[in-house]
Amino acid sequence: MARLKVSPSAASSSGRFRRSRRAPPPADRTSSKPRSRLLRGFRSVAGQVFALQVLVVLLLVVAAVLALVLQGERDDTREARNRSVAVAQTFANSPGIVVALESPNPTAILQPRALAAQHASGVDFIVVLNDDGIRYTHPNPARIGQKFVGTYEPALHGQVVIQQLTGTLGPLVQAVVPVDDTNGKVVGMVSAGITIHKVSGVVNHQLPLVFGAAAIALALATVGAALASRRLLHQTHGLGPAEMTRMYEHHDAVLHAVREGVLIIADDGRLLLANDEARRLLDLPPDAEGRPVTELGLDREAAEQLASGAIVNDEVLVAGDRLLVVNTRPTDRDGGPDGTVATLRDSTELHAVSGKAQAARKRLQLLYDATVAVGTTLDVTRTAEELADFAIPRFADYVTVDLAVPVLRGEEPAPGEDAPMQRAAVSGIRQDPPFYPVGEVITILPATPQALSLNSGHPVLDADLRSSTAWLAQDPERAGRVLEYGVHSVVRVPLRARGVLLGLAKFWRADPSERFDEDDLSIAEEVAARAALSIDNARRYTREHAMAVTLQRSLLPHGLPEQNALEVAFRYLPAQADVSGDWFDVIPLPGARVALVVGDVVGHGLHAAATMGRLRTAVLNFSTLDLPPDELLGHLDELVSRLDQDQTASPNGDAVTGASCLYAIYDPGSQLCTMARAGHPPPALVHPDGTVEFPDVPAGPPLGLGGLPFAAAQLRLPADSTLVLYTDGLVEDRERDIEEGLVLLGRSLRHAGRAPEEICEAVLAALLPPRPVDDIALLVARTRVLTSGQVAQWEVPADSAAVGEVRAAVSRQLTQWGLEEMAFVTELILSELVTNAIRYATEPISVRLLRDRTLICEVSDSSSTSPHLRYAASMDEGGRGLFLVSQFAERWGTRHTANGKVIWAEQILP
């Protein structure tokens, strides 16, 4: 710590204090330790500046010498390169060299000439090479005929090769140039080389001169630095950097500190120094320095406090009309001069600033909390409730939120439309406020403060409801109850977002709370603005979600078709956050069979719902072709790939990111269920005894990958077996993986004798998450079988005479079923179908008659050729068989099997 000595005269004249001059040491006390004095000299600012100057000059001189040496080395290398290239090119272009290279003995001609040229040019060697790199000449005859050491191949293509390497002669530069004949063909090469030391003599001779000049420059710089340091030593009085820094910081802290007064008081109570802020706070006279503190006109208590020299921490003193916070500390610590340092702060201004800061901090905290607490969901009503709950009790005693009726439906109120308001939320410090209840529809009357706020779009403050009469016109009876309840002031703020008026928020205060003021009005406006944006976001989401759900539900089946093969129940639950692309279908097929379909389009929103509708329509269309499940998924996969390509090609199209599907066909006659899946979870099978298994259905790739095959699995299902199809939203969510979900699903299905509706309820109760993030489709089907009394079957030989026998057997069977009136048409249909099978198909041929919801006639054969309906002309003898079948039957068609085909026809039962 710097030790300071302050004279009263100096302090009073300038308001500054100076460090006393250091007295020179007496002559008889000269130090006998010159080494210590030298060290102290170098610790001073002057000594350090001198050392720094000498060091900088020395570094500059060394850098200059190094630069000159390096430049000389570069010049030597460049000179060696130029000389070797020049000598090689001169020798290569000398007269007779081409003739010598083409002579029988080139060495005899070229060796003398090369040695002569070497001595004349001053290079170390000249070597002539043939186009294979074999030396014809060399200063050492023993190396003639050997391979040239170095790179020469580019010279064969007419280039000049320059290399810098270290050979037997030391570091050298060699050049290889081509020798061209008159036709421009390279017939040989010439290499010339010279060592670096032959061209480096100039710099080596200049080095003594360079070092001498450097020494002279260093000496001159040292003398100049010594003179400058001596002058600096005189001006700084031998102070070191740390001492000067401490003195400057102390001086700056006293003279230039702002918004805080500083006093230095001697131990005898005299004022030694007062800065400008202290003069202002204490209203000191100009000649205050040097006078006793008790004579400066201060309050007696304040003067005695400052002059006592006692340590004070944040004491409040009265100085005129100001309240000052005073702190005092002694100055004699660590051997310093006796006295006291006092700091003064104006607590009056500080209190005002603190009050404003506290209010601003409270306001910012309130707005931040509103941002966090309001708008946590995308539900309009919940957002209004969050606004009402947030403001209680930190800002208001009661809050009511009214929203336009279209807003609650997700719609946007039309501009200029006076839409009725509906009470969306009420909150307060008590549970029985006298306001309209939630759900009440309120019509705002003109010329009321509520209407004024809505029309102007600005908040309205009623600081005293008892003296205000305009608001009573809305509902005088209820207004009276509000006043009786103790409510005394209100702030009405319209909820506007993106230029749309959404509703009105009212903040109420009651006794004993303070009344609202203008500052509260601005806070309420900002809170309402943030809440209005959240309400509008929720409204827009509600609208989009409602549109997506409406579209999705319009694309899903609205009921189950009539069929007897399966007892079916289903559940479909859209996600709460956003709709997805899940779907299901129950499709009756010919032959009393039924197809079950469950699928899922990846993604959410309108695009996923629209894609789901397209895929569901495609499955319905493909099912009319009566394709096996694996073939149908193959066609569906190709369709998804084509849709993806079309969407990708569109500038604003969203690609189909993928889909999964499970397709199953159940035949109640054979009790066989054939199924295939494309990236979909496996089905669950509940046996009649209640045991559950997940059949091993081959897991094909998701739809849209293209090119990959699908495989089908075939299961025999006993009567009263239950097949459960579902989408991944049932068994998988953010808190549960699919493996755990399958375990829970199997556990919920492990009961015997339950109806499909009961199974649906049990599964959803066990697996439905609180807030589904994905759609859930669940399809439960209990199997039924056709009894022997509902099926009749005959084998038919490939003989036309067998047609009559089939007709007779069919007639008898129809009589047993009580369907005699259908015998003629049925016999006619079977006659045509059986005749075609005998005439055009191959054995075995069979006829099956099914009595279900319709009468079904089936003729099967081993041929894969499908018949085609023809329209015969009036003179044609044939071609009318299938035409008659199509006229008499309700429906007819063909389906292919693994062993052939089946032609079927259906008739409506009477």
Side-chain angles (χ1 to χ4, degrees), residues 259 323 325 345-363:
R259 303 298 297 170
L323 296 177
V325 177
R345 294 196 311 273
D346 190 346
S347 64
T348 306
E349 298 180 4
L350 181 62
H351 178 74
V353 172
S354 299
K356 293 180 180 179
Q358 183 68 20
R361 183 166 54 252
K362 181 179 178 181
R363 178 172 181 169

Side-chain angles (χ1 to χ4, degrees), residues 769-787:
R771 290 185 56 84
V773 297
D774 195 5
D775 289 6
I776 295 176
L778 176 63
L779 192 62
V780 179
R782 175 185 288 177
T783 60
R784 299 168 178 165
V785 297
L786 294 177
T787 63

